[in-house]
Amino acid sequence: MQLVQRFELYACLQCGKCTGGCPVSLRTDLNIRRIMRELIFGEEEVLKKEAIWDCTTCKTCTLRCPRGLEPSEVIVALRATLVEWGRVPKTVIEALEATYVHGNPWGRSRQKRADWAEGIKVKDLTKGEKSEGLYFVGCAPSYDPRLQRVSRSIALIMKLAGVDFGILGISENCCGNEIRRLGEEGLFEELREQNKEKILQSGVKWIVTTSPHCFNALKNEYGLEGIKVYHYTEFFLQLLKEGKIPFKNPLVKKVVYHDPCFLGKQNNIYDLPRYLLRGIPELTLLEFSRSREISLCCEGGGGRMWVEGTGKGTRNSEIRVKDAEALGVDIIATACPFCLLTLEDALKTTGLEERLQVKDIAELLSEALGLEVER
Amino acid sequence: MNVIVCLKRVPDVAEIDLQVDASGKSIKTEGLPYVLNDWDNYALEEAIRIKEKTGGKVYALTVGEEADEEVLRRALALGAEEALRVWDPSLREIDPYVIALLLSKTIKDNAIPFDLILTGVQAQDDGYAQVGPILAELLSIPHVTLVNRLELQEKRVKVKRELEGGLEEELEVELPALFTIQSGINEPRYVSILGIKRVAKKEIKVLDLSALKLDPGEVLPKIKVEKLFPPPVGKGAEILKGSLDEISEKLLEIFEKGGVI
């Protein structure tokens, strides 16, 4: 079916709320309002636009559309056509092929996928052990040394709280959230089926994820009936309420929370991470002027971890850390591996490394709980 | 123009700690991820581009077991007209000569009409870089190795080869001929999973020794692996131990002593 019919493009008013809210329209050639209209005159010309790869699939446009259209899904559909034609940026080809062969977009060895848990006794549910719940770690938190501090924090906090959980070990695959958004629907389906089979075999009743991206895929796109999927912030708030994570250390810090798009905009989880942060003794929580529904996307989603894009000038993540500096905070807290990496890179490029820190909420919790996360 | 492209499926070992198997002549292959040999990927893309430019057909060939058909599916998804796989359970030890012999018999016996044969420069697993040249000899056609540019003319091809020291050599070759393709000659396109699924039922012709009218006694390797082993640990390497600060200080000392800084 033509995109015009599939996405009801004749219904578009050209009001411009999509482009007006687009976090990359100011710094790249992407103009989603224009694409929505140009597609009516033919797909061929639109498909020549390199800016199709600039979109972070943050979904702001779709949420703002007064006609209920889905501009962000139009981008995914355009990418899907390019994927079928094989006309894909080289760095994306590498990420897609690595995911197919190794189960993660960075092409890291499957054999090393569970190395992050070294020294922490975690059940492997693919090796005959049983648990109520599954911790779905995700690719980046499994392999990236910086992000392993986050996955280790999450596992240690759950152990401290006496939660019965396990992992899929080296059998865990990429969740496919970004793969689908890069337009590789076939590969996404393959990953989903492989993961679903392992999850159903394990017999778990609930799943906790590190990343809002895995959370989104597992919760909204896997069709896991009867299994509850939580982002760890939701799950930990429950533990806090039940008194299972008693904070030992105060954290006398000023903290601002950066909303990850796949947690906030896409899954409406704004308050829970903030409640968690407020629960930490002596921590002062501040707000960005652009927070919650109008939070500025870090540009790490929708596959942008593997495409530089046509962007010029200051990156959103750099704007974000400068805003945080102006607020006078010590720490930018987030709850997403991609946000953490992009914001931390921005600290380096803006020279703010000495003045500010970027931390995942899980790390701040483990500090307040007095947990030894390092190996 | 009709193009034959020869493909090989190889283990992707970039991040793997390889181990020698019990025979001491090969590696443990259990659990290894497999991919199309990188050089062959460029050869395949070049073959498809020639077809798109000039018309004609692409024939994809491989020597290997059923799992190796994966690389042929990739070729079919890109638009190759025919795919052939050669294998026989009696094949135990194979070397570049055996592979080239089986490929040459397949091409001759099936009377595959070709103007060009493309192979990768070498395979990323054993790295012999011999199949292309031996195959050309067995078919009595000219060959050029390390080709990083290919310009088609009528019944001739102008090719460039990459030489040492940044030099390039330009040659004119009469067709039919064989070229071993260097990586970087083109930018291979992406092959989607749906694209591969679409050709899942397309026929792949499988040939064994009897189909090729070959006797197992005729298919013997000229090279035999005696022993496979990690090289002995040499001298001169030093691993610094201690805290980050201690290591940094020791390193600085070494640099200063060595006159680096």
Side-chain angles (χ1 to χ4, degrees):
Chain A
M1 203 199 298
Q2 296 276 299
L3 297 183
V4 182
Q5 283 92 40
R6 201 172 133 203
F7 293 100
E8 300 175 15
L9 295 184
Y10 280 114
C12 173
L13 294 168
Q14 287 289 292
C15 70
K17 276 193 81 177
C18 46
T19 295
C22 174
V24 297
S25 68
L26 278 180
R27 62 177 302 263
T28 81
D29 300 333
L30 183 66
N31 183 333
I32 183 63
R33 176 199 57 74
R34 201 179 166 128
I35 287 176
M36 295 289 277
R37 176 49 47 100
E38 283 176 343
L39 279 171
I40 292 174
F41 305 114
E43 291 173 17
E44 196 69 21
E45 283 304 306
V46 178
L47 285 162
K48 287 181 187 159
K49 291 176 196 270
E50 207 191 322
I52 290 171
W53 300 101
D54 288 342
C55 173
T56 69
T57 69
C58 72
K59 216 179 168 180
T60 305
C61 51
T62 296
L63 294 170
R64 281 165 63 98
C65 179
R67 299 302 300 265
L69 304 183
E70 296 186 308
S72 49
E73 285 298 313
V74 171
I75 293 284
V76 173
L78 288 168
R79 289 177 177 178
T81 303
L82 292 171
V83 163
E84 284 315 299
W85 292 353
R87 262 170 44 189
V88 181
K90 195 167 183 280
T91 48
V92 174
I93 295 183
E94 283 164 6
L96 295 175
E97 288 182 345
T99 306
Y100 180 66
V101 176
H102 303 281
N104 70 86
W106 285 278
R108 301 293 309 277
S109 164
R110 176 174 291 288
Q111 302 307 321
K112 295 174 184 159
R113 191 169 180 114
D115 286 5
W116 65 271
E118 193 194 314
I120 308 174
K121 274 189 189 147
V122 183
K123 286 186 200 173
D124 187 333
L125 303 183
T126 63
K127 290 183 178 157
E129 291 180 281
K130 288 279 165 206
S131 275
E132 285 275 295
L134 167 70
Y135 173 32
F136 192 92
V137 189
C139 299
S142 292
Y143 292 109
D144 185 284
R146 171 67 187 89
L147 296 174
Q148 286 177 349
R149 295 220 292 265
V150 179
S151 41
R152 289 175 71 82
S153 290
I154 292 174
L156 286 167
I157 293 168
M158 288 207 280
K159 284 185 83 84
L160 178 81
V163 176
D164 175 30
F165 73 99
I167 56 173
L168 296 179
I170 63 167
S171 301
E172 183 187 281
N173 260 318
C174 170
C175 69
N177 193 68
E178 310 321 292
I179 302 300
R180 189 182 93 67
R181 281 154 186 82
L182 282 166
E184 211 343 347
E185 187 70 35
L187 180 54
F188 170 71
E189 280 172 18
E190 199 120 310
L191 297 167
R192 181 184 61 194
E193 292 319 306
Q194 288 165 7
N195 278 328
K196 264 179 90 168
E197 195 191 320
K198 297 271 164 18
I199 291 168
L200 296 176
Q201 271 172 7
S202 74
V204 294
K205 295 194 176 105
W206 52 262
I207 302 171
V208 161
T209 73
T210 319
S211 171
H213 297 257
C214 304
F215 169 64
N216 183 67
L218 266 62
K219 185 178 183 201
N220 303 321
E221 291 167 0
Y222 267 45
L224 289 165
E225 278 165 43
I227 300 175
K228 183 91 177 97
V229 181
Y230 301 97
H231 181 252
Y232 83 83
T233 51
E234 289 179 288
F235 194 77
F236 283 6
L237 189 67
Q238 198 54 41
L239 296 179
L240 186 69
K241 281 182 185 163
E242 290 166 8
K244 287 183 179 163
I245 42 174
F247 295 123
K248 276 195 208 159
N249 308 327
L251 222 61
V252 194
K253 299 279 184 195
K254 284 187 199 161
V255 176
V256 65
Y257 174 63
H258 165 84
D259 286 282
C261 299
F262 277 80
L263 199 58
K265 291 172 193 140
Q266 310 218 15
N267 286 289
N268 217 23
I269 297 178
Y270 295 110
D271 292 323
L272 310 187
R274 290 177 165 83
Y275 291 156
L276 267 180
L277 287 168
R278 286 206 193 96
I280 298 175
E282 313 259 348
L283 184 148
T284 315
L285 184 64
L286 282 84
E287 287 289 342
F288 281 117
S289 62
R290 276 182 276 190
S291 74
R292 303 176 71 99
E293 290 84 354
I294 56 164
S295 172
L296 185 67
C297 169
C298 79
E299 293 188 78
R304 281 289 305 282
M305 293 303 283
W306 305 282
V307 216
E308 183 51 40
T310 64
K312 294 164 280 284
T314 315
R315 291 165 196 270
N316 286 358
S317 52
E318 291 170 337
I319 295 174
R320 211 59 171 158
V321 298
K322 283 179 187 163
D323 284 353
E325 192 210 8
L327 275 174
V329 298
D330 308 300
I331 294 169
I332 305 171
T334 190
C336 169
F338 293 160
C339 294
L340 192 137
L341 291 180
T342 51
L343 292 171
E344 209 165 70
D345 278 351
L347 280 189
K348 289 171 194 153
T349 55
T350 53
L352 288 171
E353 242 180 323
E354 305 286 312
R355 312 201 15 207
L356 275 172
Q357 282 182 300
V358 180
K359 293 211 167 173
D360 194 279
I361 290 179
E363 292 179 281
L364 296 174
L365 294 176
S366 63
E367 275 177 45
L369 289 164
L371 291 168
E372 188 52 62
V373 172
E374 295 293 331
R375 265 174 259 204
Chain B
M1 280 183 183
N2 294 325
V3 189
I4 293 174
V5 60
C6 305
L7 307 173
K8 186 181 187 184
R9 182 172 168 267
V10 293
D12 182 1
V13 297
E15 277 225 8
I16 309 279
D17 304 321
L18 283 181
Q19 285 177 319
V20 178
D21 71 5
S23 75
K25 294 180 180 185
S26 188
I27 54 162
K28 281 184 189 167
T29 54
E30 201 199 353
L32 287 183
Y34 281 83
V35 291
L36 171 61
N37 176 39
D38 196 43
W39 281 274
D40 297 353
N41 195 24
Y42 289 94
L44 175 58
E45 175 68 31
E46 201 61 22
I48 297 294
R49 286 185 189 197
I50 293 170
K51 173 198 137 145
E52 286 171 348
K53 216 172 181 178
T54 68
K57 288 183 174 177
V58 170
Y59 301 85
L61 270 58
T62 194
V63 173
E65 295 178 68
E66 204 176 335
D68 295 298
E69 288 187 1
E70 194 178 85
V71 298
L72 298 179
R73 295 269 166 230
R74 191 183 169 90
L76 290 170
L78 279 173
E81 274 70 17
E82 277 188 48
L84 296 95
R85 175 170 70 87
V86 190
W87 191 250
D88 196 280
S90 72
L91 290 168
R92 280 205 186 85
E93 286 179 273
I94 51 174
D95 71 342
Y97 167 73
V98 168
I99 295 174
L101 177 67
L102 295 171
L103 290 172
S104 70
K105 280 289 276 181
T106 306
I107 294 166
K108 281 186 205 160
D109 281 16
N110 291 275
I112 301 176
F114 68 90
D115 300 290
L116 298 93
I117 299 179
L118 304 183
T119 71
V121 163
Q122 59 185 321
Q124 68 203 63
D125 54 358
D126 55 25
Y128 283 122
Q130 291 181 10
V131 170
I134 298 173
L135 176 57
E137 286 304 310
L138 291 172
L139 294 169
S140 306
I141 55 171
H143 76 267
V144 181
T145 55
L146 293 160
V147 171
N148 64 1
R149 201 177 157 157
L150 210 149
E151 239 172 79
L152 299 168
Q153 292 163 345
E154 217 166 301
K155 294 195 175 171
R156 295 179 90 77
V157 172
K158 204 189 255 184
V159 294
K160 280 190 182 151
R161 309 179 65 223
E162 194 180 282
L163 299 181
E164 290 289 317
L167 283 178
E168 285 203 352
E169 185 178 52
E170 194 174 88
L171 301 160
E172 264 195 23
V173 188
E174 218 165 288
L175 295 179
L178 182 145
F179 305 96
T180 77
I181 301 297
Q182 179 62 297
S183 55
I185 188 173
N186 52 43
E187 277 191 26
R189 69 197 81 180
Y190 182 67
V191 185
S192 75
I193 301 300
L194 284 176
I196 289 172
K197 279 187 179 161
R198 238 172 259 135
V199 295
K201 284 184 183 151
K202 220 167 164 181
E203 196 208 340
I204 289 175
K205 205 168 175 183
V206 184
L207 304 158
D208 59 11
L209 289 189
S210 67
L212 293 176
K213 296 178 210 78
L214 279 168
D215 185 81
E218 296 172 75
V219 196
L220 297 175
K222 307 242 180 217
I223 302 170
K224 281 193 177 181
V225 177
E226 283 288 315
K227 193 178 161 195
L228 194 70
F229 58 97
V233 179
K235 283 178 188 159
E238 187 186 350
I239 294 171
L240 302 177
K241 283 183 185 147
S243 72
L244 188 62
D245 286 343
E246 288 164 6
I247 292 172
S248 309
E249 243 164 67
K250 276 185 206 163
L251 195 61
L252 195 67
E253 217 173 277
I254 294 169
F255 282 173
E256 276 170 352
K257 263 190 200 162
V260 181
I261 44 174

